[in-house]
Amino acid sequence: MKTLKYGEAIREALIYAMERDPSVFIMGIGVDDHKAVFGSTKNLVEMFGKDRVFDTPISEGAMTGIAVGAALNGMKPIHVHIRADFLYLAMDQLCNIAAKWHYMFGGKMSVPLVIRAAIGRSWGQGAQHSQSIQSFFMHVPGLKVAMPTTPAEAQGLMLAAIADPNPVILFEHRLLYDLSGHVPDPPAAIAFRLAAVRREGKDVTIVANAYMAVESLKAAEFLESRGISAEVIDPVTLVPLDEETILASVRKTGRLLVVDSGWTSCGVSAEIAALAAEKAWAALRRPIRRIGTAPVTCPVSKPLETAFYPNARTIAAEALALLGLSSANLEVPALTTTFKGPF
Amino acid sequence: MLTIRVSEERVIAIYPSDKIQSPVHLSIGQEAVAAGVCRAMRPTDHLHGTYRSHAIYIAKGGDLKGMFAELYGKDAGCARGKGGSMHLVAPEAGLIGCSAIVASTIPVATGDALASRMRKDGRVAVAFFGDGAIDEGVFFESVNFAVLKALPIVYVLENNRYAIHSRVSDRHKQTRLCRLAEGLGLKGRRYNGDDAIAVYRTMSAGLEKARRGAGPVLLEYMTYRGRAHVGLERDFQEAYRYPKEEALTRKNDPIKALAADLVKRWGAKRKALAKIADDVAAEVDAAVSFAEGAAFPAPERLYADVFKEVPPA
């Protein structure tokens, strides 16, 4: 056991895998530059050479297809996107090609591809540099999707993704890169289908992913001061989803609040709310509530941007409303983060 | 070539029975391109194609029974009935996949070539696509990367003059499509795609260049689409076609031309050619019978193969 930051934990996983498997390589805009994708690829080009760690032309569509083709011919590419927004340019290759190759050809071939994509909370990055678009990829059969929250999960799921014979997309929330946590030594893979119980409670279940799980834990601390016991469940892997852990909590508390870093419409929160309504209806004592980013494009102006995102305070207010309690005068800490732009 | 023609004519004969419940994009009239290209490739070389996939599947050595069973949606099909006509596949013969999204396998083939260079496996990858694919951005993005990294790949542009019902000249100012990649550092060459031997020779030279590490090659083969974009019809009467094209198509039938050439220049005996025709007919008969008799996938196959099983750690 040792303590690493989230970005360092990813880097250690990459080194661990690349030292053991010569077919693993890393490509993407900026993976070999001095910024090194929040430090997660720092010095890897020096360690493994330019053939295994390389920058790419700004051609997300073709580069994704190139990663798929390399995967089909015996390699294990890790394609890195410093902004998840760029994945829109790769939708054809991800959804029409990578997701379908195994099924469409009767299981004859598979695509062992890893995609890393950083999602926001914005620091003025605005409309096209901060989106949390995980739900798009949950919709298409054939893609595995995860949002690691802790350094151990970032490391363990990276190793699992590399070992997986299928395409896997890992969304990394930008505000998590500097968070520290324990990781196993040596690194160990974590099997997909994981919902982590971040905090146990009995009055209300808050299902929240990635940075929203961090904010939900702050909200839960505040709720405790009001005598409310909140359970926080983090659906770390979205595909496959650990339904049982979520449903067990809902059955225990009878109250469900879902928080997502993306939009609510057709999103992660919609899926989890539907899951609870379909499979734990009898246990629900109150209507399900959910929150995500406001149903608008992310604005830059600070007060608007602040209002765009859920935070510990809005999460606590929703939980109180779910319980039929007043949410006036909430003394919940506002967002605390050391993150500053511009990069 | 003849196997392709006879197979597709059989598809036409079967189609009204509704036993092939899937769109078919025929290569009738274009067989020389697939035949020449695939014959020049090594069995271990990788080919990536399009929804007009019967010709390359057959030419690359895919099993004919597996193809007809796939068209029938049977479990014994080359994609176990999941892919259909547009998604034929034969990895054992080097056909890695066919996609119904125009140009989408061009980058995949390019990545296949990247892996070959990294693994030093001696393979050349071939991206086989139509003139419509060169309209797409990924063609240019892929070529740029292949030139940059000097990848062992041959881009084969099968120009049948139409993207669905749209002429090349309605989509490009520069209609000599093999020139479009010049700014990226890739000089293409255009050849007669209805001459199977010329295709074979030029493709062989292209493969040799790519294999020795001299970087990517772009070959444009000119041909005619003998049928509608999709389906069985001869649609030369439609306004989108160039006038008098039907006559040109008949005059340049690549199979008849090759047969005549074989007799005249290569000393082939007519008897031997007739024997080939008989063998092909028998092979197609056997493949159709096999497909007719094969079983449909079991209902539980619907949910199979979304993901490949993760091996134990």
Side-chain angles (χ1 to χ4, degrees):
Chain A
M1 204 60 105
K2 58 182 175 179
T3 302
L4 287 179
K5 287 183 175 179
Y6 187 92
E8 293 168 342
I10 292 171
R11 180 173 174 273
E12 288 219 344
L14 296 173
I15 292 170
Y16 189 83
M18 291 181 82
E19 282 176 342
R20 281 159 185 78
D21 184 349
S23 66
V24 178
F25 72 97
I26 301 172
M27 55 183 253
I29 296 166
V31 297
D32 58 353
D33 71 14
H34 58 290
K35 296 278 189 180
V37 192
F38 304 102
S40 66
T41 59
K42 194 176 172 190
N43 292 336
L44 296 191
V45 67
E46 287 81 1
M47 292 176 71
F48 297 103
K50 286 180 179 179
D51 281 346
R52 293 182 72 193
V53 181
F54 59 88
D55 194 24
T56 69
I58 305 173
S59 307
E60 287 83 356
M63 290 315 306
T64 304
I66 285 166
V68 170
L72 286 167
N73 192 8
M75 300 299 289
K76 288 187 179 172
I78 301 170
H79 191 192
V80 185
H81 298 272
I82 198 153
R83 297 285 183 272
D85 312 62
F86 305 157
L87 289 178
Y88 288 144
L89 287 150
M91 285 307 244
D92 178 43
Q93 288 297 325
L94 288 172
C95 300
N96 277 323
I97 300 286
K100 295 185 172 40
W101 214 264
H102 189 252
Y103 188 92
M104 184 164 83
F105 296 125
K108 279 196 172 167
M109 282 167 293
S110 75
V111 180
L113 166 67
V114 181
I115 304 279
R116 291 178 53 199
I119 57 174
R121 174 177 183 107
S122 175
W123 181 88
Q125 268 92 352
Q128 299 169 334
H129 264 42
S130 62
Q131 294 168 86
S132 286
I133 56 174
Q134 55 273 12
S135 67
F136 284 77
F137 302 96
M138 291 175 73
H139 189 66
V140 182
L143 299 172
K144 294 189 180 180
V145 183
M147 300 178 74
T149 301
T150 67
E153 288 162 2
Q155 186 165 86
L157 289 168
M158 176 62 68
L159 290 176
I162 292 168
D164 201 302
N166 302 287
V168 178
I169 307 180
L170 298 171
F171 288 101
E172 300 164 6
H173 196 290
R174 188 186 303 149
L175 296 191
L176 296 173
Y177 285 109
D178 274 338
L179 294 189
S180 294
H182 293 301
V183 298
D185 189 15
I190 295 175
F192 268 65
R193 195 184 296 279
L194 168 67
V197 181
R198 299 281 177 223
R199 175 194 171 105
E200 292 193 28
K202 59 183 173 42
D203 296 328
V204 58
T205 297
I206 303 175
V207 175
N209 55 30
Y211 198 71
M212 287 300 106
V214 176
E215 290 291 300
S216 294
L217 286 171
K218 286 187 218 160
E221 272 176 41
F222 166 78
L223 291 168
E224 190 171 75
S225 73
R226 291 272 184 108
I228 297 157
S229 164
E231 180 147 298
V232 178
I233 307 287
D234 184 347
V236 181
T237 63
L238 295 172
V239 181
L241 187 64
D242 175 1
E243 298 186 356
E244 277 317 306
T245 299
I246 295 168
L247 291 170
S249 179
V250 172
R251 290 187 184 114
K252 180 168 76 172
T253 66
R255 300 179 184 90
L256 175 62
L257 168 63
V258 193
V259 188
D260 183 32
S261 59
W263 294 293
T264 51
S265 171
C266 302
V268 174
S269 67
E271 185 60 30
I272 290 171
L275 169 73
E278 284 173 353
K279 298 189 180 172
W281 178 256
L284 287 168
R285 295 154 68 185
R286 304 281 296 177
I288 297 163
R289 293 180 83 102
R290 58 200 177 102
I291 47 176
T293 44
V296 298
T297 294
C298 178
V300 164
S301 170
K302 201 58 171 179
L304 298 183
E305 185 191 70
T306 301
F308 174 77
Y309 288 103
N311 57 40
R313 193 172 292 168
T314 58
I315 294 166
E318 283 294 322
L320 289 168
L322 176 57
L323 289 154
L325 301 171
S326 162
S327 59
N329 305 319
L330 286 190
E331 289 164 15
V332 183
L335 180 74
T336 46
T337 169
T338 56
F339 179 80
K340 277 194 73 152
F343 199 62
Chain B
M1 280 173 80
L2 197 58
T3 312
I4 299 166
R5 177 70 60 89
V6 173
S7 295
E8 291 203 326
E9 285 176 343
R10 189 64 65 88
V11 167
I12 293 171
I14 297 166
Y15 216 65
S17 71
D18 214 21
K19 288 177 178 170
I20 298 174
Q21 295 192 4
S22 169
V24 288
H25 301 75
L26 303 179
S27 293
I28 288 178
Q30 306 177 197
E31 297 91 343
V33 184
V37 163
C38 294
R39 180 52 65 94
M41 294 172 71
R42 292 180 185 170
T44 48
D45 287 338
H46 283 174
L47 178 64
H48 298 257
T50 76
Y51 51 87
R52 200 175 299 285
S53 62
H54 307 163
I56 51 170
Y57 174 90
I58 293 168
K60 192 69 175 74
D63 173 57
L64 200 61
K65 288 177 175 155
M67 181 181 110
F68 272 97
E70 188 62 32
L71 298 184
Y72 273 69
K74 300 294 181 70
D75 195 40
C78 60
R80 302 199 66 181
K82 299 277 184 71
S85 164
M86 298 196 282
H87 305 297
L88 298 181
V89 66
E92 67 286 354
L95 178 62
I96 304 303
C98 293
S99 166
I101 306 295
V102 171
S104 63
T105 56
I106 295 175
V108 178
T110 307
D112 192 321
L114 172 68
S116 280
R117 206 201 60 179
M118 294 172 104
R119 290 151 48 91
K120 300 183 174 63
D121 61 15
R123 268 187 201 129
V124 176
V126 173
F128 193 98
F129 51 92
D131 52 279
I134 208 165
D135 302 4
E136 294 278 6
V138 288
F139 167 76
F140 296 92
E141 296 177 13
S142 299
V143 166
N144 177 53
F145 187 76
V147 171
L148 181 73
K149 303 281 181 184
L151 298 183
I153 183 166
V154 179
Y155 295 100
V156 174
L157 165 52
E158 181 189 42
N159 187 338
N160 69 7
R161 301 185 175 222
Y162 300 101
I164 310 181
H165 306 132
S166 163
R167 296 178 186 183
V168 171
S169 59
D170 291 335
R171 311 188 324 268
H172 292 273
K173 180 78 173 169
Q174 170 56 272
T175 56
R176 209 172 165 83
L177 299 179
C178 64
R179 297 198 58 183
L180 285 177
E182 281 178 11
L184 299 169
L186 181 58
K187 273 199 170 157
R189 289 291 193 83
R190 174 183 273 192
Y191 298 103
N192 176 9
D194 291 332
D195 179 343
I197 291 172
V199 173
Y200 172 77
R201 283 183 169 156
T202 52
M203 182 67 189
S204 296
L207 286 162
E208 194 277 324
K209 183 181 173 196
R211 208 181 307 276
R212 81 174 122 90
V217 171
L218 169 60
L219 303 174
E220 178 182 15
Y221 293 113
M222 300 303 294
T223 184
Y224 296 107
R225 196 174 74 205
R227 299 280 163 160
H229 160 68
V230 58
L232 321 175
E233 292 77 24
R234 298 173 60 83
D235 62 350
F236 290 96
Q237 75 285 1
E238 301 298 341
Y240 79 90
R241 290 273 193 174
Y242 291 96
K244 297 183 184 166
E245 203 172 66
E246 186 170 17
L248 263 177
T249 306
R250 270 200 299 269
K251 197 175 126 208
N252 291 345
D253 183 282
I255 295 178
K256 286 181 186 153
L258 178 65
D261 196 38
L262 287 175
V263 171
K264 198 171 148 196
R265 281 206 297 155
W266 302 85
K269 302 282 181 236
R270 291 196 185 279
K271 240 183 167 174
L273 295 181
K275 168 84 167 57
I276 291 173
D278 289 346
D279 290 350
V280 165
E283 192 192 355
V284 173
D285 283 344
V288 172
S289 296
F290 174 80
E292 295 265 350
F296 281 109
E300 61 269 21
R301 286 285 307 153
L302 175 64
Y303 296 100
D305 293 333
V306 174
F307 291 113
K308 184 171 181 178
E309 206 168 309
V310 180

